[in-house]
Amino acid sequence: MRYVHPCPHPAVPTGTPAAARLPRFRISFNVSPRSLLCFVFMLMFATAPVLASPPDTVVLLHGLGRGPLAMKRLERTLRSEGYHVLNLRYASQTHDIATLARTTLAPVLGPDAPHARVHLVTHSLGGILVRQYLHDHGVPSRLGRIVMLAPPNRGSEVVDRLRTWPVYRWFNGPAGLQLGTDAQSVPNRLGPVPAGVEVGVIAGDFSWNPLLSSAITGPNDGKVSVARSHIDGERDHIVVSSSHTWLMWRAFTLTQVSAFLRDGHFVHRSPRT
């Protein structure tokens, strides 16, 4: 662009409006086709959308005899935080733990899974499925962090007491019989957290069921004791004043799950709520 000095005005008669007496400018453009083409390309690249990396995936696994509805509040919370959430259903009362682990987790953690990075949030039996899968298939490169809610990582005394009852066996199926506290139970044979895997455990210490709690030693949630929720190699552990059934619906639990997925540790403060 070339600026040209004001053109001289002819004599302006007296009484002419001020606007008419302003100097006149000429502006001319002298742009080569090559410069114009470069300018167009610059605009195209400047306005092109930036391709964001896909969000992390969070897989939710419910517990024994439950379904995706049990994890619905967690699903809504994590979606609102930008995660891609898969709230899975599996036939917890039909198969043994090894079968459930393979059929449920291979599609999301196996070599053909479409997800880049996968975190896991589990309730009760769901946590044992994850341990079984890692034990049998190794640690996938896409695995992110794991949060276990009320996991019977060292078994449950409730299973020890009720496993011979026909109603218990009928309702809980093969997996429910594998969660005892003896040395040969599945949780006690799976070993510690594999190296490099970040696991956070949230346990409950309130029970609505004094009958079941009477079978458990120490603070418990009516199904699993706080002591038996621990696993060797865990990154962090926190206790919430909640029962086994409602632990994943507590606002404090949601906050702690989000914190661990984001930072790799819980927010420890008191009093607990």
Side-chain angles (χ1 to χ4, degrees):
M1 186 176 70
R2 183 162 54 90
Y3 168 76
V4 182
H5 287 289
C7 299
H9 267 286
V12 180
T14 304
T16 301
R21 296 197 299 271
L22 293 174
R24 290 172 296 174
F25 294 88
R26 284 204 319 269
I27 300 176
S28 64
F29 291 89
N30 184 16
V31 181
S32 69
R34 182 177 179 180
S35 299
L36 183 60
L37 187 61
C38 289
F39 179 70
V40 170
F41 273 106
M42 288 173 61
L43 285 179
M44 289 173 60
F45 282 107
T47 58
V50 178
L51 297 178
S53 58
D56 287 358
T57 295
V58 179
V59 173
L60 305 180
L61 291 179
H62 59 79
L64 182 62
R66 308 294 294 276
L69 181 61
M71 309 294 278
K72 198 66 180 177
R73 190 178 185 189
L74 264 170
E75 178 185 349
R76 289 196 300 263
T77 298
L78 294 172
R79 283 191 195 279
S80 71
E81 294 175 359
Y83 292 104
H84 174 230
V85 181
L86 299 176
N87 190 358
L88 302 184
R89 179 189 297 277
Y90 64 96
S92 62
Q93 298 156 290
T94 306
H95 302 289
D96 60 45
I97 290 174
T99 301
L100 292 173
R102 183 182 69 256
T103 57
T104 305
L105 291 171
V108 293
L109 291 178
D112 299 324
H115 315 292
R117 191 178 190 217
V118 180
H119 306 288
L120 298 161
V121 180
T122 69
H123 178 237
S124 195
L125 172 64
I128 309 305
L129 264 58
V130 171
R131 291 180 60 197
Q132 181 77 61
Y133 184 87
L134 299 181
H135 176 271
D136 293 345
H137 303 280
V139 179
S141 59
R142 61 173 48 87
L143 182 64
R145 294 179 172 128
I146 302 170
V147 181
M148 297 180 177
L149 310 180
N153 277 325
R154 298 177 182 174
S156 170
E157 295 96 332
V158 172
V159 177
D160 297 340
R161 174 174 288 190
L162 301 181
R163 69 192 318 156
T164 59
W165 293 24
V167 172
Y168 177 89
R169 299 170 69 91
W170 169 79
F171 183 80
N172 293 290
L177 299 175
Q178 296 178 296
L179 298 173
T181 63
D182 60 282
Q184 294 307 308
S185 72
V186 169
N188 287 319
R189 288 192 289 106
L190 292 176
V193 175
V197 177
E198 298 178 75
V199 173
V201 177
I202 302 178
D205 66 357
F206 177 80
S207 174
W208 291 103
N209 193 323
L211 179 62
L212 293 183
S213 289
S214 67
I216 304 173
T217 302
N220 64 88
D221 63 9
K223 301 285 182 67
V224 179
S225 71
V226 172
R228 291 190 176 276
S229 68
H230 284 280
I231 179 174
D232 292 339
E234 64 194 26
R235 179 64 60 90
D236 204 352
H237 187 284
I238 196 168
V239 180
V240 177
S241 182
S242 174
S243 67
H244 190 85
T245 301
W246 298 105
L247 181 60
M248 54 283 200
W249 290 88
R250 296 294 303 275
F252 188 69
T253 302
L254 304 180
T255 299
Q256 297 297 343
V257 169
S258 297
F260 192 89
L261 293 181
R262 183 183 62 249
D263 304 322
H265 59 80
F266 297 124
V267 180
H268 292 269
R269 63 175 182 265
S270 59
R272 290 176 290 131
T273 57

